[in-house]
């Protein structure tokens, strides 16, 4: 692809694909150029640094989040659907959580999402300051729930690179963790239950917690009425 036909949007979309496959450590201009079938210098012509590329890729991912109108579906439905869609976006792009800790992230995609959340919670009846707090609480909950699957993706990638030695180390660590857990009564009950698993997050825990948070908001608003 000649440099003059390459666009910044093509680079950003290729970067997202590269990040999804290889994570932040696997993103560099040479790998991206190979994916786009151009020289790395052609990428630099449009986007100068990896930091800027990660910022643009992150902001583009925010456009995937559904932002339903609270006037059309009600504040609670809008809040729930936005949270679920945001969680799904983080799950599709597990590198996003790591990017929050290492890059300066901003842009119209993220601002559009944040503005929508404030509108949702103000539509619910919260004063502006409390709408800020409600939006921040739900966002933190969503991000926190996305970190576990993201960590598993990173671990599986590391195990794949480590070969048999890494696989043996993982099996040994899992066995040791279960042995330690068995010394605690509540964990032992769950390990020994055929319907439960000590490893992993219980099914529907995200939905349970989100509903509980929104129930709490509704109760708070009802008490203020």
């Amino acid at each position: 692809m000649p440099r003059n036909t390459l666009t910044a949007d093509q680079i950003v979309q290729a970067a997202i694909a590269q990040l999804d496959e290889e994570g932040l450590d696997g993103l560099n201009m040479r790998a991206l150029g190979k994916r786009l079938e151009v020289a790395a210098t052609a990428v630099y012509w449009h986007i100068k640094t990896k930091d800027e590329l990660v910022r643009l890729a992150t902001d583009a991912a925010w456009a995937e989040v559904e932002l339903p109108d609270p006037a059309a579906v009600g504040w609670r439905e809008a809040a729930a659907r936005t949270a679920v869609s945001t969680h799904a976006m983080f799950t599709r792009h597990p590198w996003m959580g790591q990017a929050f800790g290492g890059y300066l992230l901003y842009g119209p995609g993220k601002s559009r999402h944040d503005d929508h959340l404030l509108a949702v919670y103000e539509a619910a009846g919260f004063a502006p300051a409390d709408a800020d707090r409600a939006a921040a609480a739900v966002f933190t909950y969503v991000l926190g729930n996305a970190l576990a699957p993201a960590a598993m993706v990173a671990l599986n990638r590391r195990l794949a690179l480590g070969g048999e030695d890494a696989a043996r180390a993982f099996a040994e660590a899992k066995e040791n963790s279960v042995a330690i857990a068995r010394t605690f009564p509540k964990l032992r009950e769950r390990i020994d239950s055929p319907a439960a698993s000590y490893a992993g997050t219980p099914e529907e825990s995200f939905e349970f917690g989100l509903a509980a948070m929104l129930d709490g908001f509704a109760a708070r608003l009802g008490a203020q009425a």
Side-chain angles (χ1 to χ4, degrees), residues 30-99:
R30 179 174 297 180
L32 197 55
K34 184 177 180 180
R35 178 179 287 272
L36 289 164
E37 299 182 341
V38 299
T41 52
V43 178
Y44 281 115
W45 181 262
H46 294 275
I47 299 173
K48 303 302 182 186
T49 67
K50 179 178 177 178
D51 282 15
E52 179 66 3
L53 185 56
V54 171
R55 185 187 73 79
L56 292 170
T58 301
D59 203 58
W62 281 106
E64 301 173 14
V65 177
E66 179 189 11
L67 304 178
D69 183 0
V73 301
W75 77 267
R76 179 162 181 149
E77 179 69 12
R81 282 165 54 179
T82 301
V84 169
S85 183
T86 304
H87 183 264
M89 183 271 290
F90 281 136
T91 302
R92 284 193 301 273
H93 307 303
W95 50 272
M96 286 274 288
Q98 185 183 355

Side-chain angles (χ1 to χ4, degrees), residues 23-204:
L24 286 168
D25 291 339
L27 179 67
N28 57 67
M29 297 306 190
R30 179 174 297 180
L32 197 55
K34 184 177 180 180
R35 178 179 287 272
L36 289 164
E37 299 182 341
V38 299
T41 52
V43 178
Y44 281 115
W45 181 262
H46 294 275
I47 299 173
K48 303 302 182 186
T49 67
K50 179 178 177 178
D51 282 15
E52 179 66 3
L53 185 56
V54 171
R55 185 187 73 79
L56 292 170
T58 301
D59 203 58
W62 281 106
E64 301 173 14
V65 177
E66 179 189 11
L67 304 178
D69 183 0
V73 301
W75 77 267
R76 179 162 181 149
E77 179 69 12
R81 282 165 54 179
T82 301
V84 169
S85 183
T86 304
H87 183 264
M89 183 271 290
F90 281 136
T91 302
R92 284 193 301 273
H93 307 303
W95 50 272
M96 286 274 288
Q98 185 183 355
F100 273 102
Y103 294 84
L104 298 173
L105 304 178
Y106 61 91
K110 178 63 164 58
S111 292
R112 172 175 166 266
H113 169 270
D114 293 348
D115 187 74
H116 170 77
L117 283 188
L118 295 176
V120 167
Y121 292 110
E122 287 187 6
F126 282 118
D130 282 343
D132 289 351
R133 297 183 182 100
V138 173
F139 175 72
T140 302
Y141 174 76
V142 170
L143 179 60
N145 271 267
L147 292 180
M152 186 56 65
V153 168
L155 177 60
N156 287 337
R157 187 179 292 128
R158 181 182 174 189
L159 292 173
L161 293 172
E164 292 184 3
D165 289 344
R168 280 195 296 270
F170 175 73
E172 182 179 346
K174 184 176 180 180
E175 182 178 339
N176 290 339
S177 71
V178 170
I180 293 170
R182 281 186 179 278
T183 65
F184 295 87
K186 293 301 180 184
L187 295 180
R188 184 168 59 250
E189 289 176 9
R190 283 154 177 77
I191 292 170
D192 294 336
S193 170
S197 172
Y198 172 62
T201 304
E203 291 185 7
E204 300 179 355

